[in-house]
């Protein structure tokens, strides 16, 4: 996803940008609710870094991506501090966060007719 965002976001149609943002938003939600292992957070960090770079200048989307990136950095750093032989890096050492603690409301895509089919959004 990070490679796709880096290669396709800039210069693409609003609908494509909206889909890529929606995919990043979904990744953030899944990291908070299901896939809590640090390996997933590292991958998410790459996605959010790409989204921040791509959405530069788009205030709402950039702000949301920066928040997700901050969460990912915190999780990766926290794992570095709490890793032990009993809980090796990359193992699911943390419990999923309740979905209610994550605001999934983020900015609304610019295009009202942007297709969301297949994204699970």
């Amino acid at each position: 996803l990070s490679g796709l965002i880096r290669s396709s976001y800039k210069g693409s149609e609003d609908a494509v940008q909206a889909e890529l943002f929606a995919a990043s938003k979904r990744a953030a939600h899944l990291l908070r609710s299901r896939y809590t292992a640090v390996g997933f957070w590292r991958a998410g960090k790459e996605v959010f870094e790409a989204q921040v770079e791509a959405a530069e200048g788009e205030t709402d989307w950039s702000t949301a991506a920066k928040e997700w990136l901050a969460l990912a950095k915190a999780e990766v750093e926290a794992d570095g501090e709490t890793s032990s032989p009993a809980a090796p890096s990359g193992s699911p050492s943390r419990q999923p966060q309740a979905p209610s603690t994550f605001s999934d409301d983020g900015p609304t895509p610019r295009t009202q007719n942007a297709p969301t089919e297949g994204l699970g959004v």
Side-chain angles (χ1 to χ4, degrees):
L1 184 56
S2 61
L4 188 60
I5 291 169
R6 284 190 171 100
S7 66
S8 303
Y9 192 91
K10 294 277 186 185
S12 59
E13 296 177 10
D14 286 350
V16 172
Q17 291 179 354
E19 288 296 324
L20 291 170
F21 178 81
S24 295
K25 180 178 176 178
R26 182 67 179 154
H29 179 73
L30 289 171
L31 285 170
R32 292 286 295 180
S33 63
R34 285 191 198 132
Y35 300 100
T36 60
V38 73
F40 292 116
W41 279 104
R42 283 188 189 111
K45 182 175 169 271
E46 287 184 31
V47 169
F48 307 142
E49 287 170 341
Q51 186 67 52
V52 166
E53 292 169 15
E56 188 176 350
E58 299 171 14
T59 308
D60 291 342
W61 290 9
S62 180
T63 300
K66 286 176 183 176
E67 290 173 9
W68 304 332
L69 180 57
L71 287 171
K73 285 180 177 180
E75 287 294 325
V76 170
E77 290 171 8
D79 186 71
E81 295 170 5
T82 60
S83 288
S84 66
S89 180
S91 70
S93 58
R94 284 183 288 291
Q95 295 297 317
Q97 298 289 325
S100 61
T101 63
F102 178 73
S103 173
D104 198 26
D105 294 335
T108 304
R110 288 176 295 219
T111 55
Q112 297 302 319
N113 297 327
T116 57
E117 188 174 312
L119 286 178
V121 206

